[in-house]
Amino acid sequence: MYLTDRSAPARADSEQGRRRGAGHRVAPVVLVLGSVSLITDISSEMVTAVLPLYLVTTLGFTPLVFGTLDGVYNGAAALVQLTGGHLADRVRNHKLMAGIGYGLSALCKPLLLLVSSVGALGTVLALDRTGKGLRTAPRDAMISLSTPSEKQGRAFGVHRAMDTTGAMLGPLAAFFILRAAADGYDAVFGVSACVAVLGVLVLVLFVPGKRGGARPDDAGAPDDAGAADGKPPVRVREALALLKLPRLRALAGCAALLGLTTVSDAFVYLLLQRRADIGDAWFPLLPLGTAAVFLLLAVPLGALADRIGRRTVFLAGHVSLLTGYALLLWAPATPALPFLVLALHGVFYAATDGVLPAALADIVPEHLRATGLALVGTSQALARFCCSLAFGAAWTVWGDGPALAGSAIGLLCCAAVAGTVLRPTDETR
């Protein structure tokens, strides 16, 4: 497993990966996909930043109703990742499936201007997250297939850095639109829709078609081999056979295990606000602190993972998160506390978010790459969703301190187990 052993021999498709170039620069398709993600995240985060206030203060929804819609908004993507990954491999056209996902999300933005009931809003939000679920695995597969295995961490780091730039610009754009526009929420939704359409256009016009992989030595020409080789479509049986790969099972299992003890971002920010006595006016800026550190470190830590091993960086990221939990539990409420916690939170994402899909390069064959990415991503997302439910219940029953202490102890134990399971061994090569 490349996550566990950076010297693992290449698989059958590694020779093709080496032909894609071993230079330090990333493939052009990675930069284009990063631009698409940057633009799309500006659109999405504009809506995410104002949605709680819009639903509660403008439409008068109760916190319970908002919590239900928020669960739909964040949980739907995880449930359709497997579908998006398998369909992309089956039709042998990752760009097509990613385009459908981006297009569906773009279509949902103007619909927010037209709906006001709980059912209609829930449907629109579910469709928006369905688009995200459909596009995630095919998009990551295009990044992986256009990058040699020894540069996967750097490529995903570049993409995640560009994606995070959009996540930072979105709330800022919404903030200024609300201040400038008379009918602020409608203006935010309208501008968000236009930006989302721009992201789809960039994907359609500039991302190579068919399989999404473009070899650097082919000057960005599309890789159509998968579509023209006469092979039958990928069957569900082949996709399920991926679970027979010991290294994939170990990676998906460890991602799920660690996800079960990873407290959601919203809870981390709420805990930090209480612990550091941060005013409500400053609360919306807390995610920007995490995003800024993520942006700065995504590429360096991705490149570091390529050099010293992805297992080391991946586990170090969880140690960083555990340190943040410890500060929230026991550190004095000094002015430095918010900066330290947000920095550690950003390091966690920079060391894990791109490193995890990069670890699949030497595990999953090319024609099933999107399916393999979806399997690991779905296991992690569903585990984190379960963690959010459990943490919310524990907070309600025992309070925020005991709930976080339980999560910290669980994370420590799960990290120890993952370190053992993912250790470099001859058997996992």
Side-chain angles (χ1 to χ4, degrees), residues 16-81:
Q16 182 181 5
R18 281 194 292 270
R19 289 199 305 268
R20 292 173 182 164
H24 291 291
R25 68 181 183 90
V26 298
V29 70
V30 176
L31 298 177
V32 177
L33 286 170
S35 300
V36 173
S37 293
L38 187 155
I39 295 169
T40 303
D41 254 35
I42 292 176
S43 171
S44 298
E45 294 303 322
M46 286 175 64
V47 173
T48 301
V50 304
L51 195 61
L53 288 176
Y54 174 70
L55 295 180
V56 175
T57 63
T58 302
L59 299 185
F61 288 0
T62 66
L64 176 61
V65 173
F66 168 69
T68 302
L69 290 176
D70 187 59
V72 170
Y73 190 73
N74 291 298
L79 297 177
V80 297
Q81 275 196 62

Side-chain angles (χ1 to χ4, degrees), residues 210-295:
K210 301 290 186 183
R211 298 286 306 277
R215 299 182 183 129
D217 57 351
D218 289 339
D223 179 3
D224 292 327
D229 58 7
K231 294 182 180 179
V234 174
R235 300 180 181 275
V236 176
R237 185 186 309 171
E238 294 179 75
L240 293 176
L242 286 176
L243 295 175
K244 297 180 180 179
L245 299 175
R247 296 188 292 170
L248 180 65
R249 289 202 308 269
L251 188 59
C254 289
L257 188 65
L258 292 166
L260 285 173
T261 52
T262 301
V263 177
S264 74
D265 296 353
F267 283 127
V268 170
Y269 300 140
L270 287 171
L271 289 165
L272 181 58
Q273 182 193 32
R274 290 190 171 202
R275 188 73 178 80
D277 195 23
I278 297 173
D280 291 346
W282 296 98
F283 182 80
L285 298 180
L286 294 180
L288 296 182
T290 297
V293 177
F294 187 2
L295 172 62

Side-chain angles (χ1 to χ4, degrees), residues 107-130:
L107 179 64
C108 290
K109 298 302 188 299
L111 294 180
L112 291 172
L113 296 168
L114 307 176
V115 298
S116 59
S117 66
V118 176
L121 272 170
T123 300
V124 172
L125 294 178
L127 288 174
D128 179 74
R129 294 297 90 181
T130 297

Side-chain angles (χ1 to χ4, degrees), residues 128-408:
D128 179 74
R129 294 297 90 181
T130 297
K132 178 177 176 60
L134 288 175
R135 69 180 183 249
T136 298
R139 179 204 65 203
D140 284 352
M142 284 191 279
I143 296 172
S144 179
L145 291 171
S146 62
T147 305
S149 61
E150 67 273 11
K151 299 296 181 182
Q152 293 279 323
R154 178 181 177 83
F156 277 102
V158 169
H159 174 267
R160 297 312 195 252
M162 298 179 72
D163 183 89
T164 305
T165 301
M168 294 178 63
L169 295 176
L172 293 176
F175 173 78
F176 288 113
I177 291 173
L178 285 176
R179 287 174 60 91
D183 196 357
Y185 291 114
D186 286 351
V188 169
F189 297 149
V191 173
S192 173
C194 295
V195 175
V197 171
L198 176 61
V200 176
L201 289 176
V202 172
L203 175 77
V204 171
L205 296 176
F206 298 105
V207 175
K210 301 290 186 183
R211 298 286 306 277
R215 299 182 183 129
D217 57 351
D218 289 339
D223 179 3
D224 292 327
D229 58 7
K231 294 182 180 179
V234 174
R235 300 180 181 275
V236 176
R237 185 186 309 171
E238 294 179 75
L240 293 176
L242 286 176
L243 295 175
K244 297 180 180 179
L245 299 175
R247 296 188 292 170
L248 180 65
R249 289 202 308 269
L251 188 59
C254 289
L257 188 65
L258 292 166
L260 285 173
T261 52
T262 301
V263 177
S264 74
D265 296 353
F267 283 127
V268 170
Y269 300 140
L270 287 171
L271 289 165
L272 181 58
Q273 182 193 32
R274 290 190 171 202
R275 188 73 178 80
D277 195 23
I278 297 173
D280 291 346
W282 296 98
F283 182 80
L285 298 180
L286 294 180
L288 296 182
T290 297
V293 177
F294 187 2
L295 172 62
L296 290 173
L297 297 181
V299 177
L301 289 182
L304 181 65
D306 289 333
R307 291 197 302 269
I308 70 173
R310 288 157 193 162
R311 168 185 179 268
T312 302
V313 175
F314 183 73
L315 293 177
H318 287 86
V319 172
S320 176
L321 181 63
L322 185 61
T323 305
Y325 290 173
L327 290 178
L328 286 172
L329 285 168
W330 299 300
T334 64
L337 180 62
F339 298 97
L340 291 174
V341 172
L342 293 176
L344 291 167
H345 202 224
V347 170
F348 161 69
Y349 278 112
T352 59
D353 193 67
V355 172
L356 184 61
L360 288 165
D362 289 331
I363 298 175
V364 181
E366 288 193 355
H367 70 289
L368 292 171
R369 188 66 53 84
T371 303
L373 286 162
L375 283 170
V376 175
T378 300
S379 65
Q380 183 184 58
L382 291 178
R384 288 183 176 179
F385 180 71
C386 292
C387 178
S388 294
L389 296 178
F391 187 85
W395 186 336
T396 303
V397 175
W398 298 304
D400 55 354
L404 184 60
S407 296

